[in-house]
Amino acid sequence: MRFLSYILSAIIFATASLGCGIDRAPQFAPIPDSAKGLPIGIGGYGIESYGKGAYMVTEGNYQAIFFVSTKGVIVVDCPPTIGHMLLWAIGNVTSIPITHVIYSHAHADHIGGVTLFGNKVTTIAHVETARYLTLTPDPNRPVPKVTFKDSYTLRVGNQTLELTYKGENHLIGNIFIYAPVQKVLMLVDVIYPGWTPFALLGQTKNVPGYIRSHYQILDYDFKHIIGGHLGRSGTRADVLIQLEYVLDLKSNCECAINTSATDDSDIGATAVFGPVTAKNLGNGWAPFKVYLDVMADYCANKTNAKWLGKLAAADVFQFENAGVMIESLRIDYGILGPSATV
Ligand SMILES: *[C@@H]1O[C@H](CO)[C@@H](O)[C@H](O)[C@H]1NC(C)=O
Ligand SMILES: *[C@@H]1O[C@H](CO)[C@@H](O)[C@H](O)[C@H]1NC(C)=O
Ligand SMILES: *[C@@H]1O[C@H](CO)[C@@H](O)[C@H](O)[C@H]1NC(C)=O
Ligand SMILES: *[C@@H]1O[C@H](CO)[C@@H](O)[C@H](O)[C@H]1NC(C)=O
Ligand SMILES: [Zn+2]
């Protein structure tokens, strides 16, 4: 009897711990070789040289870059997950001190380790990054000492970096960092070489600005693009393929919204809104929740069919990526589908 009740409570516990029906051990498609990152050394990090003192450091999930000059080392970003390893990587290349630290943007996962460089370094960021940081004061992300609005040329010894702001993309204040001699370009949280973007198109705060930034990248004469994530840098080909993916997702989502304004038996407004409205009279959010989920699911399926196996993890965040695109098409681009009646 005790044994039976033990089994019973174990079953109840197991069912309860599965929570809201979330699969805790899903099996996703394998990662193609083209997505694999730099080899990680015994220090826990991988390093790539672009010549003339330019390097990228990664621990496999995040990336920072640094430039060795005759007068000091310039670092861009310090993700906490790389942290001390960035000091090791620099220390193993040069004994020249770190003098300048650039913040690509305000997010803690990219700059939350910058205090490792001490408080004597010159910190540089866009004026909107400084403003954003004052909204959420954080001792790990000191407000930058130097800010700029449109562009800023940083010359330290023999190294030159061109910092440029081209409007909001992933986040307000997210800047392009360009080394013209090495033809290295960094723009964080936009391009994911070999991979589909992280959830919500890399947590973008501005989908049209995010899409535009692909073209802005392509305007540069670069050999290496540093996206800030995963294990490798990218090339022009990586930017072009991601642009194709994003435009494909956009067109699939736009088609779906337009079809949902018809009497399509699968995703048409009557088919989608009817049953949920009948069950939830007076609840205006309920049909919308179902509508948006059905749209995102439909577009995720359609986009998966083309991208699975081409870009890594197309099946992981496709629903979130389709969802943010659907919502942006509706409220940014004005493709309102069934809500378009004037
Ligand atoms: C060089 O890197 C190793 C880890 O690979 C680290 O243990 C060592 O302290 C580093 N040297 C310097 C000078 O930072
Ligand atoms: C600048 O000087 C450093 C240190 O001597 C050197 O490693 C690097 O290649 C030089 N870079 C350029 C762009 O001249
Ligand atoms: C969707 O509908 C809008 C508004 O009627 C139209 O401008 C747009 O071209 C349509 N897009 C597609 C992909 O059919
Ligand atoms: C998307 O694919 C899943 C799994 O194959 C399926 O269950 C679901 O019905 C599909 N959704 C749409 C809207 O086609
Ligand atoms: Zn970010």
Side-chain angles (χ1 to χ4, degrees):
M1 214 37 206
R2 271 182 75 131
F3 181 68
L4 195 68
S5 78
Y6 170 76
I7 297 265
L8 218 64
S9 56
I11 290 172
I12 290 165
F13 177 74
T15 318
S17 66
L18 284 177
C20 329
I22 291 169
D23 181 355
R24 302 281 188 102
Q27 176 73 66
F28 294 112
I31 296 304
D33 283 345
S34 53
K36 300 240 159 87
L38 296 180
I40 302 297
I42 45 160
Y45 63 89
I47 183 161
E48 184 168 58
S49 165
Y50 306 112
K52 304 238 171 196
Y55 298 87
M56 184 267 275
V57 179
T58 177
E59 92 307 21
N61 277 318
Y62 280 88
Q63 303 171 350
I65 57 175
F66 69 91
F67 296 85
V68 180
S69 88
T70 43
K71 293 230 173 98
V73 174
I74 310 164
V75 181
V76 188
D77 287 357
C78 185
T81 53
I82 302 180
H84 283 89
M85 292 186 278
L86 190 50
L87 293 177
W88 294 343
I90 296 168
N92 277 315
V93 165
T94 181
S95 55
I96 295 172
I98 298 163
T99 53
H100 293 76
V101 177
I102 297 166
Y103 300 178
S104 64
H105 66 303
H107 282 157
D109 59 330
H110 292 276
I111 62 165
V114 291
T115 55
L116 283 173
F117 305 122
N119 53 19
K120 293 216 172 61
V121 293
T122 303
T123 48
I124 307 165
H126 189 260
V127 63
E128 290 292 354
T129 297
R131 191 167 15 205
Y132 204 82
L133 287 172
T134 61
L135 287 175
T136 54
D138 176 359
N140 294 321
R141 285 176 288 163
V143 173
K145 293 173 188 166
V146 177
T147 60
F148 67 94
K149 197 163 160 274
D150 299 319
S151 63
Y152 184 92
T153 303
L154 176 64
R155 288 197 184 88
V156 182
N158 62 350
Q159 297 284 6
T160 302
L161 293 182
E162 291 168 7
L163 316 184
T164 311
Y165 188 55
K166 293 172 181 283
E168 183 179 32
N169 43 61
H170 160 72
L171 179 68
I172 195 162
N174 194 27
I175 54 170
F176 291 72
I177 299 133
Y178 180 56
V181 171
Q182 297 91 344
K183 295 197 194 306
V184 169
L185 177 64
M186 185 178 197
L187 178 68
V188 171
D189 283 338
V190 171
I191 302 295
Y192 300 80
W195 292 69
T196 46
F198 186 77
L200 307 175
L201 294 173
Q203 301 292 328
T204 188
K205 295 285 190 286
N206 184 330
V207 171
Y210 174 81
I211 296 175
R212 176 188 59 188
S213 67
H214 291 69
Y215 298 100
Q216 293 168 332
I217 290 170
L218 292 167
D219 282 343
Y220 278 87
D221 176 18
F222 67 94
K223 277 204 279 210
H224 312 280
I225 172 96
I226 315 299
H229 274 285
L230 301 158
R232 73 166 173 88
S233 58
T235 61
R236 223 179 156 77
D238 289 308
V239 179
L240 287 167
I241 196 161
Q242 186 179 296
L243 176 59
E244 189 187 333
Y245 160 82
V246 170
L247 294 180
D248 195 38
L249 182 69
K250 181 165 177 271
S251 107
N252 287 342
C253 290
E254 189 171 326
C255 276
I257 296 175
N258 284 2
T259 307
S260 75
T262 69
D263 62 358
D264 185 88
S265 61
D266 198 13
I267 57 166
T270 312
V272 177
F273 288 123
V276 57
T277 303
K279 264 199 183 170
N280 300 276
L281 290 175
N283 184 343
W285 282 178
F288 235 86
K289 155 80 177 156
V290 172
Y291 172 72
L292 293 173
D293 282 358
V294 167
M295 288 293 109
D297 188 43
Y298 178 88
C299 297
N301 277 9
K302 202 165 162 190
T303 311
N304 264 341
K306 175 164 170 193
W307 290 94
L308 215 50
K310 259 182 144 180
L311 286 180
D315 53 343
V316 176
F317 286 128
Q318 199 80 270
F319 181 80
E320 288 80 357
N321 286 340
V324 76
M325 185 64 90
I326 295 272
E327 202 52 81
S328 176
L329 279 163
R330 289 171 21 76
I331 64 182
D332 296 323
Y333 292 88
I335 309 285
L336 287 164
S339 313
T341 28
V342 177

